[in-house]
Amino acid sequence: MRLTFWGAAQQVTGSMTLLTLDDGYQVLIDCGIDMANLSEKDPIYPNSAFPFDATLVNVVLLTHAHLDHSGKLPNLYKEGYEGQILCTSPTADLSRILLEDSARINQRKLKAYNKKKSKGQSIDHYTFIPDNLYTESDVNNTMNEVVPIQFSRRFNIKPGLWVTFLPAGHLLGAAHVYIEVEENDERKTFLFSGDIGRKDYPLLIDPAVVPQADYVICETTYGNREHTEIIDSAKEIQDVIKRTCIDMPGRLIIPAFSIGRTQAVLFEMHKLFEANKLPPIKVFADSPLAMQSNRIYERYSYLLNNEAKEFKEDNDSLFNFENIEYAQKQNDSKAISNYTEACIIISSSGMLEGGRIQHHIQANMENPYATVLMVGYSAEGTLGARLRDNEGFLRMGSEEHKVHCKIEQTDSFSGHGDVNDLQSFIKQQDKNKIKQIFLSHGEEESMIAFKERIENLGYKNVVIPTKGHEFIV
């Protein structure tokens, strides 16, 4: 068998790993967009969205819905893939709305790109239009091939090949993927962490206990960092709101991923308002995708943690409260700029790469009474990272703006487990039984630090693959 790392190798985004069995059967685990290197061309198949032949893949296993794990699925079908996608039901529903939104955004970008190109105008250095954009029709064709699998059900893909999806926390429906292979009178097991969640995270259940495996592929997003204690998340958001909207009546702008992060922030705010710990400040939720995601979270509330289930039973809704206003249309979004009182604006995307958040950032960047609270990870090269690291100026489009607004950052809403959570995941494996550990989905320094950490615990054969690195297993 061969294990090839085609994405998230020494970087955080673009998860894509190919497991090839001895009989040639190919299993692709995740199929994500590389958010950090959108202009990069893969060395093999230069006219393709992939560095491998998509027609040879037999089945796709999807850990969760985020674009850096799911965003290239429609491209896979466009290039001839004819198999199915196995994932949990919430992942299927969230992936559909996320990919549909991605298709709409990409088509708008393509239209603007072609308009500039036809007029002979220069193209912004960070604006890259991939050769293989997909449409909403492509997304629909992709989602028709999804087969939902229940958590903890051992599913037989074909003779000698089984998969089990285990709760990973991180996001509604997110899973660790456990693969069992029996070939040539030999049994081998593989455990893909996906993105490991945190214990006691708002809304979500804790990551499940995982079985022993021969080979473990572990993410390392926070492989060298510890998070703020999760019990402080509500208090932290309360303190930020008090400081930015009450003590000094201003605007608090929160860029947040529409799926996962927005729900966690809204839930914590809802709890604070219900407990009368905050005055009735207007909250604008400006993301149609987040509204769709909210409904999916409500629909699958039985998969959430006990606190969320009890709160929903007592309040009928997880995210709807008296002073929240959802911006449905583009005009509703623009009208928020005319609101003159203190307010909170939650909008996507979390890395500022597209979405309505760009309008709010541009409109408030030079406002000293505005605060931007970054509640999630921004990959290097994204607009979110450039705003976070700005030195008083930020270029958006063809214009350069002075940055007078305050920039704050918190990791208490991060859906990724920190170094202690990652270590707990690895420590479930018997160091005398595990054959090899592969570290992925992390910056190089994070991977190196985590490699040293678990080697000090006695784990051997810990590898940090590069992109395209193939291993015989």
Side-chain angles (χ1 to χ4, degrees):
M1 277 179 274
R2 303 191 308 277
L3 194 62
T4 312
F5 292 82
W6 288 120
Q10 298 185 19
Q11 65 179 52
V12 170
T13 64
S15 291
M16 199 182 310
T17 308
L18 192 64
L19 175 63
T20 304
L21 277 53
D22 288 341
D23 63 1
Y25 193 91
Q26 295 191 358
V27 182
L28 185 65
I29 299 89
D30 284 340
C31 189
I33 291 174
D34 183 348
M35 306 295 290
N37 296 293
L38 291 176
S39 63
E40 179 181 324
K41 289 289 188 179
D42 286 312
I44 309 171
Y45 300 97
N47 297 319
S48 164
F50 301 97
F52 52 83
D53 189 343
T55 65
L56 298 181
V57 178
N58 296 96
V59 69
V60 174
L61 308 179
L62 179 60
T63 61
H64 64 285
H66 283 150
L67 283 179
D68 63 326
H69 293 257
S70 67
K72 290 176 78 170
L73 286 170
N75 296 112
L76 199 69
Y77 283 93
K78 286 184 69 175
E79 295 196 19
Y81 174 61
E82 296 180 344
Q84 295 174 321
I85 301 166
L86 308 185
C87 62
T88 66
S89 292
T91 293
D93 288 353
L94 291 172
S95 294
R96 177 181 286 276
I97 64 171
L98 193 56
L99 291 172
E100 287 174 346
D101 184 70
S102 179
R104 288 190 290 268
I105 291 172
N106 284 340
Q107 292 304 309
R108 287 197 295 269
K109 284 184 177 181
L110 181 61
K111 185 177 180 180
Y113 176 88
N114 287 333
K115 185 177 180 180
K116 276 191 172 186
K117 195 173 180 180
S118 67
K119 293 182 177 180
Q121 297 176 354
S122 62
I123 306 300
D124 299 328
H125 71 279
Y126 58 85
T127 301
F128 173 73
I129 304 299
D131 296 330
N132 294 278
L133 294 179
Y134 48 82
T135 65
E136 290 182 71
S137 176
D138 294 324
V139 172
N140 188 58
N141 293 337
T142 297
M143 299 313 298
N144 286 340
E145 301 303 322
V146 171
V147 177
I149 306 295
Q150 292 178 346
F151 276 126
S152 303
R153 176 190 174 191
R154 186 173 184 253
F155 182 80
N156 187 206
I157 298 175
K158 76 178 191 78
L161 177 63
W162 297 265
V163 63
T164 306
F165 291 94
L166 300 163
H170 180 66
L171 177 72
L172 176 66
H176 305 308
V177 174
Y178 183 65
I179 300 173
E180 302 168 75
V181 182
E182 288 185 1
E183 280 190 329
N184 306 319
D185 298 323
E186 187 178 11
R187 182 177 183 272
K188 294 180 182 178
T189 54
F190 301 82
L191 177 63
F192 291 81
S193 71
D195 285 354
I196 299 170
R198 305 171 64 178
K199 294 180 180 178
D200 303 316
Y201 189 77
L203 296 169
L204 302 179
I205 60 174
D206 291 346
V209 175
V210 295
Q212 178 67 45
D214 296 316
Y215 301 93
V216 173
I217 297 82
C218 182
E219 65 114 330
T220 53
T221 310
Y222 286 95
N224 59 351
R225 283 177 284 173
E226 293 185 1
H227 285 317
T228 305
E229 286 291 331
I230 199 71
I231 56 174
D232 293 338
S233 59
K235 181 67 166 58
E236 184 169 5
I237 199 72
Q238 180 185 2
D239 290 344
V240 172
I241 293 171
K242 181 178 183 299
R243 189 168 63 250
T244 60
C245 297
I246 301 173
D247 297 344
M248 179 196 71
R251 292 181 159 226
L252 175 61
I253 302 167
I254 305 177
F257 296 112
S258 297
I259 296 179
R261 205 64 46 85
T262 293
Q263 286 69 45
V265 172
L266 285 177
F267 180 63
E268 293 297 280
M269 285 187 182
H270 191 180
K271 290 194 300 181
L272 290 169
F273 286 119
E274 288 294 332
N276 295 316
K277 292 183 177 180
L278 290 172
I281 301 166
K282 179 69 76 174
V283 178
F284 294 102
D286 188 14
S287 169
L289 183 60
M291 285 186 277
Q292 291 178 281
S293 184
N294 286 359
R295 289 191 286 270
I296 293 173
Y297 266 69
E298 300 271 11
R299 186 187 313 154
Y300 291 103
S301 60
Y302 64 90
L303 291 175
L304 301 177
N305 62 29
N306 289 333
E307 180 196 30
K309 287 187 282 192
E310 291 171 5
F311 187 87
K312 179 176 170 61
E313 186 174 338
D314 293 339
N315 298 279
D316 297 325
S317 173
L318 296 169
F319 313 112
N320 294 323
F321 45 96
E322 188 174 347
N323 47 310
I324 191 168
E325 183 174 317
Y326 288 94
Q328 303 261 3
K329 299 179 180 179
Q330 194 73 37
N331 287 340
D332 299 331
S333 174
K334 293 179 179 179
I336 296 173
S337 296
N338 298 323
Y339 189 82
T340 57
E341 298 180 30
C343 65
I344 302 165
I345 303 169
I346 306 171
S347 188
S348 62
S349 70
M351 295 189 192
L352 311 189
E353 290 294 300
R356 294 180 179 180
I357 188 61
Q358 290 193 345
H359 163 74
H360 297 297
I361 295 295
Q362 193 160 6
N364 291 279
M365 201 180 308
E366 299 183 16
N367 178 6
Y369 294 96
T371 300
V372 178
L373 177 64
M374 306 295 290
V375 296
Y377 179 86
S378 288
E380 292 304 317
T382 62
L383 184 58
R386 298 207 308 277
L387 177 64
R388 179 196 66 209
D389 301 333
N390 83 87
E391 296 182 356
F393 294 90
L394 181 71
R395 177 173 290 277
M396 290 187 69
S398 59
E399 298 180 2
E400 192 170 79
H401 302 264
K402 292 182 179 180
V403 179
H404 292 309
C405 65
K406 299 176 182 66
I407 310 295
E408 297 191 20
Q409 189 169 5
T410 175
D411 63 6
S412 66
F413 285 96
S414 172
H416 281 277
D418 68 3
V419 64
N420 296 316
D421 296 305
L422 301 182
Q423 179 175 293
S424 295
F425 176 81
I426 292 294
K427 286 180 70 175
Q428 294 179 62
Q429 301 296 311
D430 186 332
K431 61 176 69 72
N432 296 314
K433 294 181 180 178
I434 193 168
K435 294 179 180 177
Q436 204 159 18
I437 298 173
F438 301 96
L439 302 183
S440 66
H441 202 286
E443 304 295 347
E444 186 176 5
E445 61 272 19
S446 176
M447 292 182 168
I448 292 171
F450 191 64
K451 180 177 186 290
E452 293 176 356
R453 187 183 184 106
I454 59 177
E455 285 177 336
N456 288 336
L457 294 174
Y459 290 93
K460 300 177 181 178
N461 296 323
V462 183
V463 180
I464 301 176
T466 56
K467 189 172 183 179
H469 204 161
E470 181 179 276
F471 298 86
I472 305 299
V473 292

